[in-house]
Structures are given as structure tokens and as C-alpha cells.
């Protein structure tokens, strides 16, 4: 079996959907944050794969993936800080209970 | 010839006076200062001098008209061009003289009458504007321009009738004058628009030519003329829109003199005269003018017979005389109607200023509280009698000449109206001399018991200061001699009709005719009856009033027209009928729509806010579904 572009894309799609499911369905804020990371990394796989297969001479996709990783690290830092703040206030990180914007 | 800038200046001088007083004098000069009065008198005096020049220039000009170039005012692309312009013909020239002479006399007189009034500057500002508006009205050469000044005259009379606006009666009278005349103005505006839709022009000369050429004729012309006449009925207080005028007595007396002699009420008569070629070519309209005029003349005179307030007697007398003017226009023509306007302006201004002088002395307008003023106020008495003789139509005073022509012309064309006019001659003489004898004859009856007017009225009444009596004397001289203008037929020829003849031939001509004799005898009988009833008490006024009790009550209650208008039409028909319907429409339909929109927004919000769960993940789910939907849509339909 020759591993080609479509395999990478399928893997990426599977990871993205798992991440999306987690974001939409999980209650625990930390797990949601992890699922967001999963979605970002799914995107990273597509970026690197397209770069490798479509324009092999250039490193655009790889560079972009590194940027995403950097931003994701920052996002995790901010996200966790928010979760801490919420936990201090509500003593819970169940997002279904964080519904202060409710009518 | 006169340069056309001068013609404009006649109008602009009083306007400048208004602007100057309103914006510079009134805010910055203390109210005791008389400077506003001097400015107004100077401006109006200047205008008068220029209009005398204009009168002689017009007399010398070919066809009695000086052409004045137009100024382009409004250009609508592909539509109409409206010019601002002046007609300087014989009618304008005569009207200018009337307006400015009376206005000047009134301004001078007001120096005395309004002395010490806290609204002194305001008074003169409005008087200037009033005069300027009236001048604008008489010089206007298109109907639109004229309508603007027509409304400004109405506005100024509103402001001046309600000058003492802290009195509720004055404020009400001002509103009444404004609203009642507005009914007529609606007709005028409709007439203007009807003419414009059918001819495409507002220009008065062009409309005249179209009417004379027959291009404007038939039903359109009749309705347009009747619309214009409706405006004149409102402004000139003709039946059935006369009710505002007696109430307009609430204004300061010099204002009444100006309104009743030269400006406001003259505007309606002038309008009919100005648009006369239109009336001339519509027999219906012309007959309507004559009939309304004739009815108004006798109708108002009958009410004047029984009033006890001297100003109200004069008010009904004005309405009656305006009816004569309309009758003269309808039955005789421009020259006859305007000639009466010209003469009437002087003696009616004199009568009003005289009544103001009496009020100045006694503090009241109620004739039952006056009496015997002949001894105390010789100048006022003499001038008042001259004016009364003139209005009664006694030869050779001015009223005789114009009234005579009206009566003769109505005899030829409208016999029924002729009889009404003859009865009115008798009534006029009677009510005027009733006023004279009640005011000046007999013994002084003490004036206003709770005097609070101008000065202290306790003790003897005294003659007014000379600033008030001099205008009276000037107007008295004019009342005697102004009628002599047409003795030679010159006025008629100037207005475009008739031939001139010798002065003495004309002066004694009436005595060779039957009708002037009848009119003179009737007037004499009226004076005699007044003398018998109010001076000598040969006949008891109370007993005669009692004999004709129903008639007396009818006159005294003014035919219940005020009650009819106020209670039946305004309170019931309008207030309970139409206005109630409007109120329902407003409450249900208009408010219903507005509230419905608001309630709909509230209800939909109430329903839709359940979508806002506060669950971030649910929002995310919907975002995801939305994105998928868009992708599918693009994929399948894009």
C-alpha cells in the first residue's frame, strides 16, 4: 500500500471530527480544550501534507504549521487560565453549568 | 417716469423698519424709549412720499401702468419659472396711497395711545411688518407671491389682535380671526392651483389676458373665481365668515383702525378688484360677489343697530361697508368698489381712532357709560361727526360719492340688492348717529366705574394729546375731500372706465337724479330717528326695543351665528363627529399600527429568546450545522 495524500487527509478528517465531537459534546472544560488542540493538529497534518505533495520545493505549509503550534501553545496557556478563573468562581468546570448568558 | 428701484423701495422701507426694530431696537433699547415709533413713522412716511410719486408717475404713464422688470425667483427645470415682480398700475397706486396714509396716521396716533405700554417696540415692529405685508400684497404681480403676503397679512393681524395676549379674550379673538380667515384662504389656494393647473401660470397679467381672450372660460373660470372670492370673503369678513371681525376689537384700537380701514379687510376687496377680469367673464362669480356683498351690507348693519360697545358698532359698520364694496365690485366694477374702499379707509380709520381717543379719556368702550364728551373733547367730537356724516353718505362728504355710485350701479343690475342697499343706507345713518349721540351728547355718565386703563380716569375726562388729535384732523380733512376725486369722473377714468367732466357739473349732478335724493332722504331720516331716540328722548329707545323684542334679540345676539358656529358646527359636528372619528382612527389604526409593531417585536423576542440557552456547546453545534449547510448548498446549488 502506497501512502498518498488522501490517507493523510482522511487521518486529518478523522482527528478533526473527533476533536469537534469532543468540543461539542464533552462537559469538562479541560477535555474541551484538549479537543481544540486535536482539531488544530488535524489541520496541521493537512497543511504539512499539502505542502509535501503539492509544492514539494517550498516549505510554506511546514512553516505555517509551526506558527499554528506556537499559537496553540499560547491559546492553551490563556484557555487554562480562564478555566482556572472559572473554577475559582464556580468551583466547577462543567460547561453545561456555565450558562450565565442564558435568558 | 420713476425708476423701478423706487417701486421696490416702497415695499422695502417698512420691511427694513421691522427688521431693524425687531433685531436691534427691541433687544437693546429700553422699552420707555420712543425710537421704535420714530423709525416706523419715518419708514412709512418715506414709503408714502414714494407712493405719491408713484401715483403721479402712473397717472402720466401710458395705459396708466409703469412696467417694472421681473426678478427670477424660482426656476424648476422642465417646469415652471416663477418671477418676483411688481404691478405698478392705477389700482396699485391707489391702494398704496390708502394703505400708507392710514398706516402713517395710525402710527403717529399710536405714539400717544400706546405710550407707556411695555410692548411698545413689539407693537411697532409688527405694525411695520403689517404695513410691509400689505404693500407686498398690493404690488405683487403673481398669485403665488400675492398669496405669501396674503398669509403674512393674516399672521400680522393675528399677532396684533392678540397683542395683549395675557388677556384670554384677546388670545381667543386672535385665534378666531386666524382660523376663520383660514377657511377662506383654503378656497383662495384652491383657486390659485386650479388656475395653475389649467393655464400653467401664476402671472396675474397673463391670467387677465387669458380670461379676456376667452382661453380661460367656463366652469374652470367660475370655480377659480369663486375660490378666489372665498379668500376675499374670509379676509374681508363677508357673510358667513364675518364672525372674526367683531371679536378682533380685542386688539389695541389703532390696530383696529389699521385692520379695518386699510390693511387686512381691504385685502379681500383688493383681491377681487385685482382679479376682476376673471370675475367679469364669469357671470355666476360676479353675481355671487354682488349677492354676498349686498347680504353682508344689510346683515351687518342690522347688528350694528343694537350694539352698546362703540368699537363693536364700528366693527359691524366695517363689515357692512365692505359688503357695499363687494356689491360695488359685483354690480358696477373695479372703479366703483375701489373708490368706496378709498373713501371708507379714511373715515373708518378716523372713526376708530376717535373711539380710541374716547376710550383714552373714559377708560371704557361702553357707550352707556359715556355721554357729554362733546364739551370735554371738542376735537374728537368734531372729527367723529365729520366721519359719521361721511359714512352716512351726506353730500358732499366722501361717503356720499362712492355710496351713491354703488347704489346706482346696483339699481341697474341687481334690483333686489338695490333695495337692501337702500335700507342699509338708513341703518348706517341711524347706528352711526346713535353712537354719536350716546357718546358725545347729553351728560357725562362717569366712564368706567372700575377704571384701570391708561391714566387716572377719575373726575373730568379730557381731550387727548395733540399727537392723537392731529391725525384725527388730517383724516377728517381727507374724509371731507377724498370723494371729490371722482366728482369729475377722474378716478373712474384713472381706473379704466368712464369719461371725465367738469367739476361743478359733477358736484351738483346728483341733485338732478332721483336715486341720490332717495338715499339722502333715507340717511337724513336715520339721523333724525337717532336724534329723536338718543338725544331728545322723544322716543324711548327701551320702548322701541321692547316693541320689536324678537328682532332686537335677534340682532343683539348676532343672529346666533356665533352660537351656531361654536356650539353646533364646532362642538357637535366637528368635535363630536369628525374629530371623534379622527380620534378613533388615530387611537385604533395609527396607534394600533405603532403599538402592533412594538408588541410584535416583544412577542417574537419572548418566543425566540429560548434559543439563547447559554450553552456554548449548543451554539457551537449550530455554527457547525450552519457551516455544513452552507457547504452543501454551495456544493449542490452553487
Amino acid at each position: 500500500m502506497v501512502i498518498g495524500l488522501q490517507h493523510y487527509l482522511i487521518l486529518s478528517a478523522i482527528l478533526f471530527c473527533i476533536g469537534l465531537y469532543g468540543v461539542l459534546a464533552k462537559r469538562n472544560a479541560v477535555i474541551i480544550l484538549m479537543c481544540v488542540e486535536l482539531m488544530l493538529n488535524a489541520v496541521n497534518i493537512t497543511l504539512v501534507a499539502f505542502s509535501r505533495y503539492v509544492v514539494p520545493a517550498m516549505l510554506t505549509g511546514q512553516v505555517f504549521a509551526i506558527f499554528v503550534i506556537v499559537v496553540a501553545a499560547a491559546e492553551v496557556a490563556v484557555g487554562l487560565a480562564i478555566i482556572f478563573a472559572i473554577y475559582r468562581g464556580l468551583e466547577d468546570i462543567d460547561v453545561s453549568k456555565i450558562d450565565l448568558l442564558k435568558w | 417716469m420713476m425708476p423701478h428701484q423706487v417701486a421696490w423701495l416702497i415695499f422695502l422701507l417698512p420691511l427694513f423698519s421691522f427688521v431693524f426694530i425687531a433685531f436691534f431696537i427691541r433687544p437693546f433699547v429700553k422699552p420707555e424709549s420712543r425710537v421704535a415709533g420714530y423709525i416706523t413713522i419715518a419708514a412709512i412716511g418715506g414709503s408714502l412720499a414714494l407712493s405719491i410719486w408713484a401715483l403721479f408717475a402712473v397717472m402720466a404713464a401710458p395705459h396708466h401702468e409703469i412696467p417694472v422688470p421681473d426678478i427670477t425667483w424660482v426656476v424648476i427645470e422642465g417646469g415652471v419659472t416663477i418671477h418676483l415682480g411688481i404691478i405698478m398700475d392705477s389700482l396699485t397706486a391707489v391702494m398704496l396711497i390708502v394703505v400708507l396714509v392710514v398706516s402713517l396716521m395710525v402710527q403717529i396716533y399710536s405714539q400717544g395711545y400706546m405710550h407707556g405700554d411695555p410692548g411698545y417696540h413689539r407693537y411697532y415692529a409688527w405694525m411695520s411688518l403689517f404695513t410691509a405685508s400689505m404693500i407686498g400684497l398690493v404690488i405683487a404681480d403673481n398669485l403665488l407671491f400675492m398669496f405669501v403676503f396674503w398669509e403674512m397679512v393674516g399672521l400680522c393681524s393675528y399677532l396684533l389682535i392678540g397683542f395683549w395676549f395675557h388677556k384670554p379674550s384677546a388670545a381667543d379673538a386672535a385665534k378666531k380671526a386666524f382660523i376663520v380667515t383660514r377657511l377662506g384662504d383654503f378656497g383662495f389656494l384652491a383657486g390659485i392651483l386650479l388656475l395653475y393647473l389649467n393655464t400653467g401660470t401664476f402671472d396675474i397679467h397673463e391670467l387677465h389676458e387669458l380670461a379676456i381672450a376667452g382661453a380661460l372660460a367656463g366652469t374652470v373660470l367660475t370655480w377659480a373665481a369663486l375660490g378666489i372670492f372665498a379668500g376675499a370673503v374670509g379676509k374681508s369678513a363677508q357673510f358667513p365668515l364675518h364672525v372674526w371681525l367683531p371679536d378682533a376689537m380685542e386688539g389695541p384700537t389703532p390696530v383696529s383702525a389699521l385692520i379695518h380701514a386699510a390693511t387686512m379687510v381691504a385685502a379681500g376687496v383688493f383681491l377681487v378688484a385685482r382679479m376682476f377680469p376673471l370675475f367679469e367673464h364669469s357671470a355666476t362669480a360676479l353675481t355671487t360677489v354682488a349677492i354676498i356683498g349686498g347680504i353682508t351690507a344689510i346683515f351687518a348693519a342690522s347688528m350694528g343697530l343694537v350694539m352698546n360697545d362703540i368699537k363693536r358698532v364700528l366693527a359691524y359698520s366695517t363689515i357692512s361697508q365692505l359688503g357695499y364694496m363687494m356689491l360695488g365690485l359685483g354690480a358696477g366694477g373695479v372703479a366703483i368698489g375701489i373708490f368706496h374702499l378709498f373713501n371708507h379707509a379714511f373715515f373708518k380709520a378716523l372713526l376708530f381712532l376717535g373711539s380710541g381717543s374716547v376710550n383714552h379719556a373714559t377708560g371704557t368702550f361702553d357707550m352707556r357709560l359715556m355721554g357729554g364728551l362733546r364739551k370735554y373733547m371738542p376735537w374728537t367730537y368734531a372729527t367723529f361727526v365729520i366721519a359719521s356724516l361721511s359714512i352716512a353718505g351726506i353730500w358732499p362728504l366722501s361717503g356720499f360719492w362712492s355710496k351713491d355710485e354703488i347704489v346706482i350701479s346696483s339699481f341697474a343690475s341687481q334690483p333686489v340688492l338695490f333695495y337692501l342697499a337702500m335700507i342699509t343706507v338708513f341703518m348706517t345713518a341711524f347706528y352711526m348717529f346713535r353712537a354719536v349721540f350716546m357718546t358725545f351728547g347729553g351728560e357725562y355718565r362717569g366712564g368706567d366705574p372700575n377704571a384701570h386703563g391708561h391714566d387716572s380716569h377719575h373726575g373730568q375726562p379730557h381731550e387727548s394729546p395733540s399727537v392723537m388729535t392731529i391725525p384725527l384732523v388730517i383724516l377728517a380733512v381727507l374724509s371731507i375731500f377724498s370723494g371729490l376725486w371722482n366728482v369729475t369722473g377722474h378716478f373712474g377714468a384713472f381706473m379704466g372706465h368712464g369719461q371725465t367732466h367738469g367739476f361743478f357739473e359733477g358736484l351738483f349732478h346728483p341733485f338732478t337724479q332721483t336715486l341720490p335724493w332717495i338715499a339722502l332722504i333715507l340717511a337724513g331720516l336715520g339721523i333724525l330717528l337717532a336724534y329723536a331716540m338718543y338725544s331728545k328722548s322723544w322716543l324711548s329707545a327701551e320702548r322701541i326695543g321692547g316693541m320689536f323684542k324678537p328682532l332686537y334679540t335677534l340682532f343683539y345676539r348676532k343672529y346666533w351665528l356665533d352660537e351656531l358656529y361654536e356650539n353646533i358646527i364646532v362642538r357637535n359636528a366637528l368635535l363630536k363627529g369628525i374629530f371623534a372619528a379622527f380620534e378613533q382612527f388615530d387611537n385604533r389604526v395609527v396607534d394600533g399600527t405603532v403599538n402592533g409593531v412594538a408588541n410584535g417585536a416583544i412577542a417574537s423576542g419572548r418566543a425566540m429568546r429560548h434559543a439563547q440557552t447559554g450553552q456554548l456547546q449548543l451554539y457551537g453545534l449550530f455554527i457547525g450545522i450552519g457551516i455544513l449547510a452552507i457547504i452543501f448548498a454551495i456544493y449542490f446549488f452553487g
Side-chain angles (χ1 to χ4, degrees):
Chain A
M1 186 175 98
V2 180
I3 295 180
L5 178 59
Q6 71 270 37
H7 296 102
Y8 288 102
L9 294 184
I10 288 164
L11 172 66
S12 164
I14 290 166
L15 281 177
F16 188 86
C17 287
I18 292 169
L20 186 62
Y21 169 78
V23 166
L24 295 180
K26 285 292 168 187
R27 298 265 168 109
N28 192 317
V30 176
I31 292 175
I32 289 171
L33 209 55
M34 287 160 71
C35 289
V36 169
E37 292 305 311
L38 209 54
M39 287 163 78
L40 286 167
N41 284 311
V43 172
N44 280 348
I45 289 169
T46 44
L47 285 171
V48 175
F50 275 119
S51 181
R52 174 71 182 76
Y53 284 92
V54 180
V55 280
M58 296 168 73
L59 294 175
T60 338
Q62 284 87 333
V63 171
F64 206 86
I66 288 169
F67 269 108
V68 172
I69 290 165
V70 170
V71 172
E75 179 239 308
V76 167
V78 174
L80 280 173
I82 292 171
I83 290 168
F84 269 116
I86 290 170
Y87 183 75
R88 277 187 197 151
L90 298 177
E91 305 214 325
D92 201 346
I93 50 171
D94 183 346
V95 289
S96 69
K97 290 180 182 157
I98 308 167
D99 54 359
L100 299 176
L101 282 176
K102 192 182 171 185
W103 49 271
Chain B
M1 285 301 287
M2 66 187 296
H4 60 263
Q5 288 88 347
V6 173
W8 280 104
L9 208 55
I10 295 173
F11 164 62
L12 291 174
L13 276 175
L15 195 64
F16 283 146
S17 159
F18 161 69
V19 171
F20 194 70
I21 295 170
F23 293 106
F24 299 104
I25 303 293
R26 191 164 169 247
F28 302 120
V29 177
K30 61 182 190 305
E32 301 81 51
S33 161
R34 293 189 160 202
V35 65
Y38 298 140
I39 291 170
T40 308
I41 290 167
I44 290 173
S47 281
L48 176 61
L50 294 177
S51 18
I52 291 170
W53 181 13
L55 178 69
F56 284 107
V58 168
M59 277 184 184
H63 308 296
H64 298 311
E65 169 144 18
I66 301 174
V68 179
D70 281 346
I71 298 167
T72 304
W73 186 22
V74 177
V75 181
I76 299 167
E77 291 295 332
V80 66
T81 305
I82 298 165
H83 297 287
L84 269 182
I86 290 181
I87 297 183
M88 188 52 81
D89 62 358
S90 47
L91 181 60
T92 305
V94 168
M95 286 301 293
L96 283 176
I97 298 291
V98 168
V99 173
L100 287 163
V101 167
V102 172
S103 181
L104 183 63
M105 291 306 130
V106 167
Q107 312 307 336
I108 294 172
Y109 178 92
S110 303
Q111 288 266 325
Y113 193 83
M114 298 303 286
H115 178 57
D117 193 286
Y120 188 80
H121 294 328
R122 185 164 55 98
Y123 176 82
Y124 273 104
W126 287 343
M127 283 300 233
S128 296
L129 185 63
F130 201 3
T131 309
S133 315
M134 191 62 197
I135 294 170
L137 177 67
V138 301
I139 63 175
D141 81 337
N142 74 60
L143 283 173
L144 216 54
F145 190 27
M146 195 183 221
F147 189 71
V148 170
F149 289 110
W150 182 266
E151 293 299 325
M152 274 174 68
V153 168
L155 168 71
C156 291
S157 61
Y158 166 80
L159 292 171
L160 285 164
I161 292 167
F163 182 75
W164 288 314
F165 51 82
H166 46 81
K167 283 200 310 193
S169 59
D172 288 346
K175 272 186 283 184
K176 189 170 177 182
F178 199 70
I179 293 166
V180 172
T181 54
R182 185 48 33 92
L183 291 174
D185 294 351
F186 176 74
F188 184 23
L189 189 58
I192 293 176
L193 293 177
L194 187 63
L195 285 173
Y196 178 72
L197 290 176
N198 282 284
T199 64
T201 182
F202 292 115
D203 190 274
I204 292 170
H205 275 314
E206 287 176 23
L207 289 170
H208 285 181
E209 281 157 19
L210 287 171
I212 292 166
L216 182 65
T219 334
V220 171
L221 179 64
T222 303
W223 279 109
L226 288 177
I228 289 169
F229 183 58
V233 166
K235 273 277 190 293
S236 284
Q238 299 294 291
F239 177 82
L241 296 182
H242 63 279
V243 289
W244 66 269
L245 196 139
D247 287 19
M249 295 300 114
E250 289 294 338
T253 306
V255 172
S256 305
L258 192 56
I259 288 179
H260 289 218
T263 50
M264 178 86 171
V265 298
V269 177
F270 167 77
L271 178 66
V272 174
R274 173 58 89 209
M275 303 310 289
F276 197 71
L278 271 66
F279 287 90
E280 218 170 13
H281 290 84
S282 165
T284 319
L286 202 59
T287 315
T288 311
V289 173
I291 290 172
I292 294 284
I295 290 174
T296 308
I298 189 163
F299 177 74
S302 68
M303 291 185 276
L305 297 176
V306 296
M307 292 297 148
N308 286 320
D309 182 316
I310 186 166
K311 277 182 82 179
R312 289 201 175 250
V313 173
L314 296 177
Y316 284 109
S317 150
T318 304
I319 300 175
S320 169
Q321 298 298 312
L322 289 164
Y324 265 130
M325 291 174 209
M326 288 295 184
L327 177 60
L329 287 171
V334 174
I336 294 171
I338 293 298
F339 190 48
H340 195 53
L341 190 155
F342 177 74
N343 291 331
H344 173 259
F346 301 128
F347 57 67
K348 186 49 60 69
L350 173 52
L351 288 170
F352 269 109
L353 296 183
S355 77
S357 175
V358 166
N359 165 252
H360 201 69
T362 62
T364 178
F365 286 111
D366 193 332
M367 294 191 290
R368 287 168 298 190
L369 301 172
M370 298 178 184
L373 296 177
R374 185 180 64 241
K375 276 175 287 193
Y376 308 109
M377 311 178 72
W379 286 104
T380 307
Y381 170 64
T383 53
F384 201 90
V385 168
I386 289 170
S388 301
L389 287 169
S390 186
I391 196 173
I394 301 300
W395 185 87
L397 299 175
S398 64
F400 171 77
W401 299 103
S402 47
K403 189 174 283 187
D404 194 39
E405 288 185 19
I406 291 169
V407 169
I408 290 170
S409 64
S410 67
F411 182 68
S413 62
Q414 309 279 354
V416 179
L417 298 179
F418 162 76
Y419 292 111
L420 295 184
M422 274 303 190
I423 299 168
T424 311
V425 168
F426 171 76
M427 286 180 170
T428 308
F430 175 76
Y431 68 65
M432 276 324 301
F433 277 85
R434 174 175 173 267
V436 169
F437 293 130
M438 279 179 85
T439 308
F440 295 100
E443 292 302 316
Y444 186 49
R445 291 188 287 271
D448 190 354
N450 39 6
H452 53 272
H454 295 85
D455 305 310
S456 132
H457 298 293
H458 305 297
Q460 303 295 328
H462 53 84
E463 182 61 284
S464 299
S466 57
V467 73
M468 287 166 74
T469 51
I470 288 169
L472 294 180
V473 172
I474 295 172
L475 285 169
V477 171
L478 285 168
S479 301
I480 297 172
F481 293 110
S482 70
L484 301 182
W485 190 355
N486 204 28
V487 167
T488 59
H490 182 261
F491 187 89
F494 183 47
M495 285 291 174
H497 304 285
Q499 296 101 23
T500 55
H501 41 77
F503 180 76
F504 287 103
E505 184 197 336
L507 190 61
F508 296 105
H509 178 72
F511 294 106
T512 64
Q513 307 285 313
T514 325
L515 290 181
W517 272 112
I518 299 173
L520 272 177
I521 290 167
L522 281 172
L525 283 176
I527 296 172
L528 202 66
L529 183 62
Y531 182 72
M533 280 168 71
Y534 295 98
S535 187
K536 287 293 171 205
S537 307
W538 292 332
L539 297 166
S540 160
E542 284 79 23
R543 194 179 301 163
I544 290 175
M547 272 164 63
F548 299 101
K549 188 76 185 164
L551 216 54
Y552 179 86
T553 315
L554 185 68
F555 294 163
Y556 194 74
R557 301 305 304 270
K558 304 171 237 168
Y559 295 83
W560 284 280
L561 270 184
D562 275 335
E563 284 81 359
L564 173 76
Y565 288 164
E566 179 150 352
N567 294 341
I568 296 180
I569 295 181
V570 174
R571 281 191 207 283
N572 286 319
L574 288 181
L575 217 58
K576 288 191 187 149
I578 298 171
F579 293 166
F582 284 165
E583 196 185 357
Q584 290 297 320
F585 179 81
D586 193 37
N587 283 345
R588 308 225 164 144
V589 181
V590 177
D591 285 7
T593 311
V594 173
N595 292 342
V597 169
N599 287 336
I602 291 171
S604 64
R606 198 166 280 154
M608 282 163 62
R609 70 182 185 182
H610 295 288
Q612 302 292 326
T613 57
Q615 299 292 340
L616 212 56
Q617 287 169 310
L618 195 61
Y619 301 163
L621 181 63
F622 282 117
I623 291 170
I625 292 169
I627 291 169
L628 283 179
I630 290 168
I631 289 170
F632 275 109
I634 292 170
Y635 188 74
F636 287 109
F637 306 108

